[in-house]
Amino acid sequence: MTVSILLFLPIVAAVIVALLKNGVAKHAALFFSVAQLVIALIFLSKFVPDASTQFRIDAPWIPKFGIYFSAGIDGISMVLVLLTTLLVPIIILTTYTHEYNREGAFYGLILFMQAGLLVVFTALDGFLFYVGWEAALIPIYFICALWGGENRIRVTIKFFIYTFAGSLFMLVALIYLYLQSPAGTFDLHNFYTMSLDVKHQTWVFWAFFLAFAIKMPLFPLHTWQPDTYTEAPSGGTMMLSGIMLKMGIYGILRWMIPNAPLGFFHFQTLTIILAVIGIVYASIIAFKQKEGKRLVAYSSIAHVGLIAAGILAWNIQGVQGAMLQMLNHGINVVGMFFIWDIIIRRMGTQDTDQLGGIAKVAPRFAIGFLIIVLGTVGLPLTNGFVGEFLLLKSVFTYGAGHFGNLVIAAFAGSTIILGAVYMLRMYKKVMQGETNPLTATFKDVSGVEKFTLCLICVLVIALGIYPQPILHISEAAVTQLVNEIGAKFTM
């Protein structure tokens, strides 16, 4: 059994769903996405949590140019596969109360995007990685352009230009590594064994960094994100925020640092500073937001900045914290955008100044909203706590012994306080107080909305109480990778 079934099933499913009529397409998309999750769980049941790559496929593709269809799953990939296959059916469920023109095309694009994401998270060949990277971009472009908000065309073009430009930098880095490879292949592990000097590793580092920093996004390459998240349809926003931005984080972990360790080491402090600036900047901007989706968008920038800082500190705790928090952030941000999707559909606005008192007329919705908010701010016994604790410990470990670095770590820690303040403030404005003529008509969740909200809340609590299974999956692979790259820093 190889990973190929995970990569090709969503492509076949996308074609089938795209040909179906409205009313049938969403049910078929949900069926295929659940089937993908079941397959991923079968892989998980057979997965041995060591540092090896399992379920490999390694078939000639364009052997003349050293290109192979090579993919597999190790502990790092396994977490991202679970993230993708878990969130896609949840995202499809959140769209069940929407009506889309050309519904088959909408859900077909979501499934095709899932295929591209899974290719990115499992590729062991640089060319295949790039193909998956671009394959995930194309569907989301059309999802935003065809089903987005009033300013969708302008915003989508900006998003496409940003991400496509970053992709070109990455392609240059991959081609350069291929040309330097004695074996003449795009094989990832072959790249790892190469010994480029500091100057050439620095160029490779920056080419990768620009591509991955745009995708995440990190400050100052983040400006496409708030507008895109706001204008995209809810399902597209969830795919972008819940899964797609993890491509950049994964790229830093799998491709940038291992292939250019000396270049990374030279600019390590600078990259951490950029991540921390993003945390503080996005948190301050989030304070001033009156639109719910835009507030969540800036919150996402802050949380991703902390994940990036934890990885860039480069120790086992930080990378393990990032693995856990990628999964948790995906669950929480999908939950937050689902909350605002419900509010916008019922109230016709996302302006927090026009809302209030919803908890009095919708207690089930209020409880679900509160659980997701508490997970987002990292309250103990919710899913955000352990990951943020490990990430902050990682950054403070990096800062120990140097006052300047310790100051950077202290600013990184501000994300906990700032995030709690603006998130709880938003919850109070929207849910507490007296109802007004608008919010008095708010209907509580029921049916598929209630089921989906309960599912997200269960994940928030379950992963908060017992995160160890996720950490166990990635522990061996993370330990080996961090130690191998750490040894190169001293060479």
Side-chain angles (χ1 to χ4, degrees), residues 136-178:
L137 172 62
I138 295 169
I140 196 62
Y141 171 82
F142 284 108
I143 289 172
C144 295
L146 296 176
W147 292 279
E150 183 179 348
N151 299 314
R152 63 186 182 276
I153 300 302
R154 174 183 60 83
V155 169
T156 304
I157 290 174
K158 180 180 180 180
F159 161 64
F160 185 82
I161 291 172
Y162 258 83
T163 53
F164 187 70
S167 299
L168 291 179
F169 284 111
M170 182 178 71
L171 180 61
V172 169
L174 290 170
I175 292 175
Y176 177 78
L177 290 172
Y178 164 74

Side-chain angles (χ1 to χ4, degrees), residues 286-302:
F287 271 111
K288 300 181 178 181
Q289 298 306 308
K290 295 182 179 180
E291 295 184 354
K293 288 182 70 174
R294 189 170 286 270
L295 186 151
V296 176
Y298 280 106
S299 169
S300 179
I301 293 175

Side-chain angles (χ1 to χ4, degrees), residues 84 87-88 91-92 109-111 113-114 117 140 143 229 233-245 334:
T84 306
L87 287 188
V88 169
I91 291 170
I92 291 173
L109 287 169
I110 286 181
L111 292 173
M113 184 177 174
Q114 182 186 34
L117 291 164
I140 196 62
I143 289 172
Y229 282 17
S234 60
T237 302
M238 293 175 194
M239 291 293 292
L240 278 167
S241 59
I243 311 174
M244 192 172 185
L245 69 80
V334 165

Side-chain angles (χ1 to χ4, degrees), residues 257-337:
I257 295 176
N259 284 317
L262 300 181
F264 162 67
F265 181 70
H266 192 68
F267 292 99
Q268 184 179 17
T269 300
L270 175 60
T271 58
I272 293 176
I273 290 173
L274 291 176
V276 172
I277 290 174
I279 293 171
V280 179
Y281 166 81
S283 297
I284 293 172
I285 299 298
F287 271 111
K288 300 181 178 181
Q289 298 306 308
K290 295 182 179 180
E291 295 184 354
K293 288 182 70 174
R294 189 170 286 270
L295 186 151
V296 176
Y298 280 106
S299 169
S300 179
I301 293 175
H303 283 93
V304 169
L306 180 59
I307 294 173
I311 289 179
L312 295 167
W314 201 248
N315 53 58
I316 293 172
Q317 291 173 338
V319 179
Q320 277 287 77
M323 296 305 304
L324 180 60
Q325 204 62 2
M326 277 193 278
L327 177 61
N328 292 332
H329 174 269
I331 293 167
N332 292 337
V333 78
V334 165
M336 287 303 303
F337 279 118

Side-chain angles (χ1 to χ4, degrees), residues 26-240:
K26 63 184 177 184
H27 299 306
L30 180 61
F31 170 79
F32 283 118
S33 64
V34 171
Q36 278 284 98
L37 175 58
V38 171
I39 293 170
L41 292 175
I42 293 172
F43 276 108
L44 178 61
S45 69
K46 299 178 180 295
F47 180 75
V48 179
D50 58 18
S52 65
T53 302
Q54 301 162 47
F55 316 116
R56 286 194 62 163
I57 179 174
D58 195 2
W61 190 4
I62 314 175
K64 180 180 179 180
F65 296 105
I67 298 172
Y68 291 81
F69 194 94
S70 180
I73 297 176
D74 67 354
I76 296 171
S77 298
M78 190 76 247
V79 175
L80 277 303
V81 168
L82 290 174
L83 168 74
T84 306
T85 55
L86 174 64
L87 287 188
V88 169
I90 292 176
I91 291 170
I92 291 173
L93 278 173
T94 67
T95 67
Y96 252 51
T97 52
H98 289 266
E99 293 184 4
Y100 298 102
N101 293 324
R102 294 163 293 183
E103 182 181 281
F106 178 82
Y107 289 107
L109 287 169
I110 286 181
L111 292 173
F112 188 81
M113 184 177 174
Q114 182 186 34
L117 291 164
L118 289 170
V119 168
V120 168
F121 297 142
T122 59
L124 300 174
D125 179 276
F127 185 82
L128 179 63
F129 176 76
Y130 180 77
V131 169
W133 187 274
E134 294 300 301
L137 172 62
I138 295 169
I140 196 62
Y141 171 82
F142 284 108
I143 289 172
C144 295
L146 296 176
W147 292 279
E150 183 179 348
N151 299 314
R152 63 186 182 276
I153 300 302
R154 174 183 60 83
V155 169
T156 304
I157 290 174
K158 180 180 180 180
F159 161 64
F160 185 82
I161 291 172
Y162 258 83
T163 53
F164 187 70
S167 299
L168 291 179
F169 284 111
M170 182 178 71
L171 180 61
V172 169
L174 290 170
I175 292 175
Y176 177 78
L177 290 172
Y178 164 74
L179 293 175
Q180 301 304 309
S181 170
T185 71
F186 284 89
D187 180 72
L188 173 65
H189 296 291
N190 181 261
F191 286 172
Y192 285 4
T193 62
M194 292 165 52
S195 300
L196 301 176
D197 59 32
V198 175
K199 177 182 177 181
H200 292 93
Q201 283 197 31
T202 298
W203 287 110
V204 172
F205 163 78
W206 280 112
F208 276 131
F209 182 78
L210 287 171
F212 301 144
I214 288 171
K215 187 71 75 176
M216 293 167 64
L218 284 185
F219 178 90
L221 303 171
H222 67 285
T223 58
W224 64 267
Q225 190 246 50
D227 288 338
T228 304
Y229 282 17
T230 303
E231 293 296 325
S234 60
T237 302
M238 293 175 194
M239 291 293 292
L240 278 167

